[in-house]
Amino acid sequence: MSYVGYNSSGSIGYDISLKDEILFLRNEMMRTFQEEKSFTSDLVIEISCKLDLKINEYMKLYGTECKM
């Protein structure tokens, strides 16, 4: 499965929890890194930025305590 088509807006037919989105993005970033063999590839950076946004969103909702 490729990350490029990923859309968290519910268009895939069901809602994904914020925690699930974070875990998905983390796994996808690591898988992409293994394929690209680079932390600086455009795709790895794109996924990393989206992961950062989701983690920030999580922290705003649930405070500084991360229970993942």
Side-chain angles (χ1 to χ4, degrees):
M1 172 172 22
S2 174
Y3 176 80
V4 176
Y6 175 75
N7 183 348
S8 63
S9 67
S11 66
I12 55 177
Y14 57 90
D15 290 328
I16 299 173
S17 75
L18 186 54
K19 188 174 179 179
D20 288 340
E21 285 184 86
I22 291 169
L23 293 173
F24 174 83
L25 288 167
R26 181 184 295 155
N27 290 335
E28 192 67 11
M29 184 179 69
M30 292 308 300
R31 185 192 63 76
T32 305
F33 161 74
Q34 290 171 345
E35 287 177 4
E36 301 279 325
K37 307 268 191 271
S38 170
F39 280 118
T40 59
S41 80
D42 290 341
L43 190 53
V44 173
I45 291 171
E46 177 185 344
I47 297 168
S48 177
C49 289
K50 290 182 183 197
L51 177 58
D52 288 347
L53 290 173
K54 290 299 177 179
I55 290 170
N56 288 334
E57 184 179 341
Y58 183 93
M59 298 304 280
K60 284 180 186 175
L61 286 172
Y62 301 106
T64 57
E65 230 181 280
C66 189
K67 297 179 182 179
M68 294 175 75

